[in-house]
Amino acid sequence: MKISEKLAQILSLPAGYRLLRRAVGGGDLWRAYLDEYVKPIPGAKGLDIGCGPADVLRHLPQVDYTGLDYSQKYIDSALARFGGRGRFWCSDVSRVALELERGTFSLALATGVVHHLNDQQAADLFGLARLALGPNGRLITFDGCYVPGQSRVARWMLAHDRGKFVRARAEYERLASAAFSKVEGHLRHDLLRIPYTHLIMHCAN
């Protein structure tokens, strides 16, 4: 079995997912991501697309939180740990019906999600976020990214990521720009304890 396949098996389990995140990133990863880019406001209505086991809730203020993930294992873990802090839906992004809440969210997150999606699935995600967000709403994404001059170790890590659609910056921004008129990307090489490059995008209209 390939390393990437073994890693995928481990990460499919909520405990394995949390353990690896803690090992390579720790609390500093969440603090940098949330404090510098997400900047959550207490009481905001947020949609977390691909929420996993919803570990982000440990670092967020009290918000009106809805978590969405296609993995029932992740959703069950989120409900067991954070059931009193939000709603949790198990669904694919292409099947989520938000008509009754269209335009009511002020914040959407897609943390480590887009690089797991092919172009059509990514378009569905950006379309869902656009539908959910109000006029001043914003989407923040966070994904591994290929860049020129990247170290061999970082490129190897990205190539063996569980997500099979790690892209260059221009490709992520192209996909986001189909749904959002303002897309601002930030490259970071210092958020993990291992060589890695992240692209954080701030998307708005």
Side-chain angles (χ1 to χ4, degrees), residues 139-167:
L139 165 69
I140 311 296
T141 71
F142 178 96
D143 289 279
C145 183
Y146 290 118
V147 296
Q150 206 161 26
S151 75
R152 290 183 179 180
V153 176
R155 291 190 73 84
W156 188 92
M157 295 297 297
L158 289 164
H160 291 82
D161 192 281
R162 185 169 52 141
K164 302 305 180 186
F165 300 95
V166 177
R167 299 170 172 89

Side-chain angles (χ1 to χ4, degrees), residues 49-194:
I49 305 171
C51 65
D55 288 348
V56 69
L57 276 171
R58 295 180 59 202
H59 307 275
L60 288 176
Q62 287 295 326
V63 294
D64 184 356
Y65 179 91
T66 297
L68 165 69
D69 202 281
Y70 73 93
S71 168
Q72 189 63 57
K73 289 180 181 178
Y74 283 163
I75 292 298
D76 289 344
S77 177
L79 282 167
R81 297 167 69 221
F82 304 111
R85 289 198 57 187
R87 300 179 298 173
F88 298 94
W89 299 338
C90 183
S91 179
D92 183 271
V93 293
S94 65
R95 299 191 182 97
V96 178
L98 279 177
E99 280 73 17
L100 296 179
E101 295 182 81
R102 181 172 183 164
T104 64
F105 292 84
S106 57
L107 174 67
L109 300 177
T111 307
V113 178
V114 180
H115 73 285
H116 288 271
L117 308 178
N118 63 33
D119 283 4
Q120 182 55 60
Q121 292 167 331
D124 289 341
L125 182 150
F126 287 113
L128 172 65
R130 179 69 188 92
L131 183 72
L133 292 169
N136 298 314
R138 55 205 174 89
L139 165 69
I140 311 296
T141 71
F142 178 96
D143 289 279
C145 183
Y146 290 118
V147 296
Q150 206 161 26
S151 75
R152 290 183 179 180
V153 176
R155 291 190 73 84
W156 188 92
M157 295 297 297
L158 289 164
H160 291 82
D161 192 281
R162 185 169 52 141
K164 302 305 180 186
F165 300 95
V166 177
R167 299 170 172 89
R169 176 177 182 167
E171 286 301 298
Y172 285 116
E173 292 178 343
R174 176 185 63 81
L175 290 166
S177 295
F180 292 92
S181 60
K182 300 175 184 176
V183 177
E184 181 180 332
H186 305 268
L187 287 170
R188 294 290 297 261
H189 306 277
D190 60 340
L191 295 178
L192 298 184
R193 297 188 180 109
I194 57 176

